Amino acid sequence: MSEPTTTPATTPRPVTLFTGQWADLPFEDVARMAGDWGFDGLEIACWGDHLDPVRAAQDDDYVQDRLRILRENNLAVHAIAIHLTGQAVGDDPIDERHQDILTPEVWGDGDPEGVRRRAAEVVKDSARAAARLGASVVTGFTGSSIWKYVAMFPPASERMIDRGYEDFAARWNPIMDVFDAEGVRFALEVHPSEIAYDYWTAQRTLEIMGDRPGFGLNFDPSHFVWQDLDPVMFLQDFAPHIFHVHVKESVRQLNGRNGRLGSHLPWGDPRRGWDFVTAGHGDVPWKPIFRMLNSIGYQGPTSIEWEDAGMDRLVGAPEALALVRELATIAPSGASFDAAFSASAQNSQFTTTKEAP
């Protein structure tokens, strides 16, 4: 098989479009729009017709066809996304919600442990697919057997929580062995319903995985602001583990009636305590975040994940791209601003002036 070829990114941190919310459209159409808008590449979702990870793991012609579509639209692939299938690896319970997001092959007869095992095999194939495409990262969810205990009532014992993390490690370490063999990293999106959904659960998840070099995090600040977590501090503290970044926005709508847990209300309902909006329209502190990305030396993709029930995606995606291009101009100075205060700098300037003809 020939080596994957993709178009080089036009910025130090390539700006990509996550295709997950566009998987109702053919992959070629999404690639064409993203190329026309000026994206550097795609974070390709492993659902819809965008990418079949099982096929990509073994079919050279299929991989070359995906690369052709990218190349023709001046796009690169920096990451692929396995969120839907990854969710089923560690979840408990497994129910009709999972049937709605899984392929018939993974769902099978719906037996929960069988679903988990089949999902794990597909996630392994996503690492093989990423390697063939030339992508260095797979982003995704992992599921959790203890998310259902989040309210801690009826009381969940310490041992019950411990077993949840142990179950997670037992399921994901064999998957990570395949990722390591393929030279691909996995970035868990810190997100409600996952084993890691906030600061302390992210820390414990990394610890239970033994701080494996190939297992890290996908930073998505939209899920931090409504939990009152500081996304900038998260970046600073977890810097070595940040493998991928989502540019996704949320807004708080707390007014004395609306609650943080959403009240089982659909997206876009004004009674929700928080909601997703196009990047730049909510409460995420983007300028401090991009300054911190500079500070920690992050050079991976900044991938726009568009979700907004109140704005058409054909408007929201290019608007978010313009925001990120503007944020990308926040770059470290080539010199310290107080360098001119020193005596040596002043003497140098005086000497230069004095010797000038």
Side-chain angles (χ1 to χ4, degrees):
M1 177 181 176
S2 60
E3 289 295 314
T5 57
T6 54
T7 304
T10 58
T11 61
R13 282 194 296 260
V15 187
T16 61
L17 178 67
F18 177 38
T19 72
Q21 289 76 20
W22 305 75
D24 58 312
L25 301 177
F27 180 63
E28 290 198 60
D29 291 354
V30 176
R32 184 178 63 254
M33 286 189 293
D36 289 345
W37 286 328
F39 280 91
D40 299 316
L42 299 177
E43 176 191 355
I44 307 176
C46 291
W47 54 90
D49 83 328
H50 291 200
L51 184 67
D52 179 343
V54 177
R55 186 177 176 187
Q58 53 191 329
D59 187 336
D60 292 351
D61 291 340
Y62 177 71
V63 169
Q64 289 304 315
D65 183 63
R66 300 293 95 174
L67 292 173
R68 173 191 61 79
I69 293 170
L70 293 167
R71 189 168 52 248
E72 289 177 353
N73 292 284
N74 296 313
L75 298 169
V77 54
H78 299 278
I80 68 174
I82 197 71
H83 291 68
L84 303 188
T85 305
Q87 185 68 39
V89 173
D91 255 6
D92 183 45
I94 296 287
D95 54 36
E96 60 265 31
R97 297 170 302 158
H98 299 82
Q99 186 175 12
D100 286 343
I101 64 173
L102 298 173
T103 64
E105 292 77 16
V106 173
W107 179 254
D109 61 3
D111 173 69
E113 193 55 34
V115 172
R116 295 183 190 105
R117 288 196 302 268
R118 289 187 290 273
E121 292 306 311
V122 174
V123 175
K124 292 175 184 177
D125 274 339
S126 75
R128 300 179 181 110
R132 283 169 165 259
L133 287 162
S136 61
V137 176
V138 174
T139 61
F141 293 151
T142 62
S144 170
S145 64
I146 54 175
W147 169 252
K148 58 182 179 282
Y149 305 146
V150 68
M152 295 300 281
F153 188 86
S157 69
E158 183 177 351
R159 182 62 192 133
M160 291 174 71
I161 303 302
D162 289 344
R163 284 200 301 266
Y165 284 99
E166 291 162 5
D167 176 75
F168 171 80
R171 294 182 186 279
W172 278 88
N173 271 311
I175 294 172
M176 290 309 305
D177 290 341
V178 175
F179 272 75
D180 290 348
E182 295 293 336
V184 175
R185 301 188 296 175
F186 181 77
L188 161 61
E189 185 169 335
V190 180
H191 185 291
S193 80
E194 308 311 315
I195 193 72
Y197 57 89
D198 62 11
Y199 187 102
W200 300 114
T201 55
Q203 183 181 86
R204 185 164 183 183
T205 299
L206 293 169
E207 289 172 352
I208 198 68
M209 291 297 287
D211 288 316
R212 292 186 69 142
F215 184 89
L217 305 174
N218 176 50
F219 172 76
D220 182 341
S222 69
H223 295 286
F224 292 165
V225 295
W226 65 268
Q227 295 186 72
D228 284 336
L229 302 174
D230 185 341
V232 180
M233 182 178 293
F234 189 96
L235 277 176
Q236 183 175 23
D237 291 357
F238 289 95
H241 307 287
I242 303 299
F243 293 171
H244 194 265
V245 169
H246 271 175
V247 177
K248 183 179 170 187
E249 182 84 74
S250 63
V251 62
R252 301 183 194 93
Q253 299 174 152
L254 303 171
N255 57 15
R257 295 187 182 92
N258 300 352
R260 293 190 188 278
L261 299 184
S263 308
H264 294 297
L265 294 168
W267 306 115
D269 193 308
R271 295 172 295 170
R272 288 185 57 87
W274 66 278
D275 212 340
F276 294 122
V277 291
T278 298
H281 289 255
D283 295 317
V284 173
W286 290 115
K287 288 183 179 180
I289 283 173
F290 271 71
R291 284 179 179 269
M292 184 55 70
L293 289 174
N294 291 337
S295 181
I296 67 176
Y298 175 77
Q299 290 298 308
T302 46
S303 185
I304 291 171
E305 182 179 8
W306 173 89
E307 289 187 358
D308 188 339
M311 179 180 287
D312 190 283
R313 61 187 173 182
L314 299 180
V315 176
E319 184 175 311
L321 173 61
L323 171 68
V324 177
R325 293 295 190 204
E326 180 182 351
L327 291 167
T329 64
I330 301 174
S333 172
S336 175
F337 68 84
D338 60 356
F341 298 166
S342 68
S344 58
Q346 295 177 39
N347 290 337
S348 174
Q349 182 182 17
F350 176 77
T351 302
T352 302
T353 303
K354 190 174 182 180
E355 292 176 354

